[in-house]
Amino acid sequence: MDTTVVDVPEKGRFEVRVGERVVGLASYHVENGQMTLPHTEVDPSMGGKGIGTTLVSGVLSAARERGLTVLPYCSFIRHYIQQHPEEMDLVTVHDRPHFGLETADR
């Protein structure tokens, strides 16, 4: 399965594609050095195949490469960050309590 994560800034989203087919997306907005992440979705027919994880990993990698912090309003992204503490630094210490991440950096 050839899976890629592609930034589509004119639509304000990252898309995860299998071949040429868009099977999921993560909407975003960048302002003042922060990437706001309000929503992700994956085609239900693709559930359980790691597509969402691939998508979030790609989004967070892009934020890191661009020197941005993230505001993980999306619960799936918050859960991913909790499960991958090496990504916690993308959420500022000040913002972590707002997202229930204040104890996840141990």
Side-chain angles (χ1 to χ4, degrees), residues 33 62-69:
R64 185 175 301 285
E65 288 169 11
R66 297 172 192 180
L68 302 171
T69 59

Side-chain angles (χ1 to χ4, degrees), residues 15-103:
E15 296 176 347
V16 61
R17 300 175 182 172
V18 174
E20 294 299 314
R21 180 176 167 221
V22 176
V23 295
L25 61 90
S27 58
Y28 74 92
H29 174 75
V30 175
E31 187 174 338
N32 298 324
Q34 291 187 307
M35 181 182 283
T36 301
L37 300 165
H39 177 73
T40 59
E41 63 183 77
V42 172
D43 183 327
S45 72
M46 299 300 288
K49 297 180 181 178
I51 299 294
T53 298
T54 299
L55 173 61
V56 174
S57 176
V59 169
L60 295 179
S61 290
R64 185 175 301 285
E65 288 169 11
R66 297 172 192 180
L68 302 171
T69 59
V70 299
L71 297 173
Y73 288 99
C74 171
S75 61
F76 187 81
I77 294 174
R78 281 194 310 276
H79 180 74
Y80 180 94
I81 291 170
Q82 288 171 329
Q83 298 301 310
H84 298 85
E86 68 276 9
E87 303 289 9
M88 187 64 64
D89 65 312
L90 289 170
V91 182
T92 68
V93 172
H94 174 75
D95 288 327
R96 290 176 195 171
H98 177 77
F99 296 106
L101 298 172
E102 66 271 30
T103 60

